[in-house]
Amino acid sequence: MDITVLVPAYKSQYLPELLRALQSQTLPPARVVFSDDSPDQAFQRALATPEARAAWPALHLEVIPGPRNGAWANFRHLLQHYKGETAFFHLQLDDDIPYPQFYERHAQAHALAQGQAAVSRRWTALESGEPTGSLPVPESIHGQLQRLFALGPDVLFPSTVAASNNWLGEFSNATFRAGMREELLSTRLAGVSFTGLEDIGAFLVACRQAPLIYINEHLGYFRTSPGQNTSLTTGRIFKLGLLAWVALALASHRLGYLDAGQMAAVAQRIGGTVLQHYRAVDPAMCGVAELGLRLGQGPEAEADYLAAWHAYSGALEMPA
């Protein structure tokens, strides 16, 4: 598979493990680009050592300076740097690990089906890399012996958005066709920004263009650590990820994949959680959640919610 691996790099302590994992691929990537977003350009120094330099020819490595403006800004920086030079791309987080057959299996999946994205299962692991469990998936998929599934929007929207459950995983366990680059840069669905849930949002966008290819094999692990952005409940990334479920519910309702009752249920579930835990610490966040509770009460309520959500998330103004 002709694929570019894009690494939003920040945690240089995991670099040796990631380089070994990439060099161990049974089907090597065409090129690997690191965007060094570390405060002191630690990746550029680490990749210049004799040990790391040995990986350059095999992986066709490239290192570019990151924007140093937050995690998603670094993702966007890489996507803007990649201009479709290869047929596929993979956003590989610097602390996650792809197993040796990751690209081989994804290539086989893309060869069998013309989906815009393929997603494989992954383990969760401690910081040391020791597996601790598997990302739970619906029993209808978990219990199947079949290795590949084609999943359309009628399955994915109810099983993810309606349940506020991203059982598909993250960018590290997904590969995309080059044409999805613009969709990932847009982060919009039915005119609604899904900032904070860029991964599941991208999967849902992809499945509307062609059924998403699901590889029912564990082909990597997602590393957990105490300082992880997604585990810091007071951090902006966590807050956006929580609120974005309501935004995705509205987008799903606009597209006809969720009915008004399902949209309201998501808004009630997320809104209740936000108001319970953030009322005293983030009034703006709670204001968005409260407006979400009014969704379904007419165009004015929807417009008020979208204005508040897009202002809170910092989404660029774009036409619906």
Side-chain angles (χ1 to χ4, degrees), residues 89 178-187:
F89 66 91
M180 281 294 295
R181 169 185 176 270
E182 294 300 322
E183 299 287 2
L184 266 67
L185 285 169
S186 168
T187 62

Side-chain angles (χ1 to χ4, degrees), residues 76 185-188 191 193 195 310 313-319:
R76 290 183 59 85
L185 285 169
S186 168
T187 62
R188 293 267 173 154
S193 168
T195 297
H310 286 165
S313 64
L316 298 174
E317 285 303 317
M318 295 174 63

Side-chain angles (χ1 to χ4, degrees), residues 7-21:
V7 184
Y10 186 80
K11 306 166 192 165
S12 59
Q13 66 267 36
Y14 304 121
L15 176 61
E17 294 175 58
L18 179 55
L19 285 178
R20 285 195 296 270

